[in-house]
Amino acid sequence: MRTLEKKLKAGILGGTGMVGQRFITLLENHPWFEVTTIAASGRSAGKRYEDCVAGRWKMATPIPESVKDIIVKDVKDVEAVAAEVDFLFSAVDMTKEEIRAIEEEYAKTETPVVSNNSAHRWTPDVPMVIPEINIDHFDVIEAQKKRLGTTRGFIAVKPNCSIQGYVPALAAWREYEPYEVVVCTYQAISGAGKTFKDWPEMVENIIPYIGGEEEKSELEPLRIFGRVENGEIVKSDEMTITAQCVRVPVLEGHTAATFVKFRKKPESKEALIEKLRAFKGFPQEADLPSAPKPFIQYLEEDNRPQVKADVYYENGFGVSIGRLREDTVYDYKFIGLAHNTVRGAAGGAVLCAEALTEKGFITAK
């Protein structure tokens, strides 16, 4: 891992919510980035960060000392926020239309925005990236800059938390041409920004519907596996995915029960497992600060992966796969697990920012 001469100044839009809090904890003592600015709604503006989150801090670790006294700014005070940072993480809680507008407004101040939000995931020239899989999609940033009229400002996004437990396996197996996928995700309540204290009705309960998740689970992987063409991302037509998404009484960790058909028959189950264990991408090759090594762990035990045992594999940045076996209807089936607010949200955005920094897209102003 290389060392930067001086840490880059990072801001967090929506820093008081659950994902914003996760950004705060992940960036504590980060070797490349330092949180210097936090912005939130007008209700929080002008207050110390510690006071803004008093009584609603949702992380297991305490509020980092380095951010307690930061005076929170109004997220709509774009020029003032942008003036204090080299780049921004976005986790704002607004309508999609408002998010699209304000993220573009920040980008036009020549400030790169790495977003956890879904608003720009289908904007043709905005890259939606899992850095181990489709780092080449950052190539569309130059086309986006032309559209925005910027020289260094742009928007990049990370994909939905629900896909993180199974898409890496599909990426590891692409040479076998997976073409039909059935997945059922069992999603933690933190994906809704909740704890059991906030949402007591989830205790001993399952809700068989999460708004928008099934569409994201079925379509976003096709954009991840897509290609850059004429300054836009064109989604892949190589596979069809159907999904059911269920909210379960778990705090952290999305589990995915996945069934796959391949056009090319894998040599064996062992060959598929070896592909998982060997799979790596730019974060591992560039030795990025948050890169999990290895990216995917395969667990041989029949009762793994488990949320309690495995969700923090590689500090929550890694993916756990288990129970790979032949199926009677599909070719193979497996269970995947990923931490939804680390790999699936704030951590995925941090890893994207590290990759963008390593590639020269994010620099000091």
Side-chain angles (χ1 to χ4, degrees):
M1 181 179 68
R2 71 186 178 99
T3 303
L4 300 189
E5 284 185 24
K6 188 177 180 182
K7 287 189 180 184
L8 295 169
K9 294 182 288 186
I12 301 172
L13 308 178
T16 58
M18 180 176 266
V19 174
Q21 292 176 21
R22 179 65 74 183
F23 274 120
I24 295 286
T25 58
L26 290 174
L27 294 169
E28 184 182 13
N29 302 318
H30 192 282
W32 290 3
F33 309 143
E34 178 184 5
V35 177
T36 59
T37 305
I38 301 171
S41 69
R43 297 188 306 275
S44 298
K47 300 176 184 175
R48 293 171 63 250
Y49 182 72
E50 183 178 27
D51 296 333
C52 290
V53 296
R56 57 192 187 100
W57 180 255
K58 298 182 179 184
M59 300 294 104
T61 54
I63 304 168
E65 291 294 329
S66 58
V67 301
K68 284 183 176 180
D69 292 326
I70 289 178
I71 302 301
V72 176
K73 293 188 176 297
D74 190 329
V75 73
K76 293 183 178 179
D77 196 353
V78 173
E79 293 292 338
V81 173
E84 294 187 352
V85 301
D86 295 313
F87 75 103
L88 289 160
F89 291 108
S90 177
V92 289
D93 183 12
M94 298 176 171
T95 66
K96 286 191 179 184
E97 291 74 18
E98 290 172 326
I99 292 170
R100 277 194 286 269
I102 202 163
E103 288 183 348
E104 287 202 359
E105 197 175 344
Y106 273 105
K108 287 176 180 177
T109 68
E110 300 294 358
T111 306
V113 178
V114 183
S115 181
N116 179 72
N117 300 305
S118 64
H120 274 293
R121 288 183 192 157
W122 289 93
T123 303
D125 58 10
V126 171
M128 179 176 71
V129 171
I130 295 176
E132 285 87 354
I133 298 174
N134 62 324
I135 197 80
D136 59 305
H137 286 196
F138 286 150
D139 292 346
V140 300
I141 288 172
E142 294 308 319
Q144 185 193 148
K145 287 178 180 176
K146 288 180 182 176
R147 174 174 63 84
L148 296 175
T150 60
T151 57
R152 76 185 296 280
F154 63 88
I155 302 161
V157 300
K158 48 134 301 278
N160 198 50
C161 53
S162 64
I163 74 172
Q164 309 289 333
Y166 59 94
V167 167
L170 301 178
W173 297 333
R174 281 186 89 184
E175 68 185 79
Y176 301 113
E177 298 181 13
Y179 72 94
E180 192 172 301
V181 179
V182 174
V183 62
C184 186
T185 60
Y186 303 91
Q187 300 188 203
I189 64 172
S190 56
K194 304 287 188 181
T195 65
F196 287 110
K197 181 181 177 182
D198 306 325
W199 204 2
E201 59 267 39
M202 272 307 303
V203 176
E204 299 183 2
N205 192 23
I206 284 175
I207 298 176
Y209 173 72
I210 308 170
E213 288 294 292
E214 287 164 1
E215 294 82 358
K216 293 171 186 175
S217 299
E218 293 170 354
L219 296 175
E220 288 188 15
L222 306 183
R223 193 166 197 255
I224 296 292
F225 292 133
R227 63 193 183 278
V228 178
E229 204 171 274
N230 299 319
E232 295 185 353
I233 307 296
V234 178
K235 73 181 178 71
S236 170
D237 59 2
E238 66 194 84
M239 68 181 75
T240 301
I241 302 172
T242 183
Q244 291 200 101
C245 298
V246 180
R247 188 73 73 193
V248 295
V250 165
L251 180 60
E252 297 173 321
H254 288 355
T255 299
T258 312
F259 301 76
V260 188
K261 284 184 180 177
F262 297 104
R263 287 194 175 89
K264 295 182 178 177
K265 184 176 175 60
E267 301 90 336
S268 63
K269 168 184 167 179
E270 290 69 30
L272 289 172
I273 291 172
E274 178 53 36
K275 295 292 182 187
L276 294 174
R277 288 175 168 159
F279 187 67
K280 62 182 180 180
F282 182 76
Q284 290 73 35
E285 292 160 359
D287 194 22
L288 298 182
S290 301
K293 299 172 187 174
F295 175 29
I296 301 171
Q297 68 166 343
Y298 183 80
L299 299 159
E300 301 281 357
E301 300 92 331
D302 286 339
N303 64 347
R304 302 278 289 279
Q306 291 182 25
V307 169
K308 285 193 172 182
D310 304 307
V311 76
Y312 274 99
Y313 166 63
E314 286 293 297
N315 298 312
F317 283 87
V319 173
S320 300
I321 304 289
R323 299 207 69 213
L324 178 66
R325 58 221 191 273
E326 291 191 53
D327 186 57
T328 53
V329 177
Y330 283 71
D331 293 326
Y332 281 88
K333 55 191 171 186
F334 67 92
I335 302 291
L337 171 68
H339 196 301
N340 56 296
T341 65
V342 181
R343 168 56 73 165
V350 169
L351 197 59
C352 278
E354 292 172 0
L356 288 161
T357 300
E358 183 68 19
K359 285 188 164 289
F361 289 99
I362 294 176
T363 56
K365 280 184 179 176

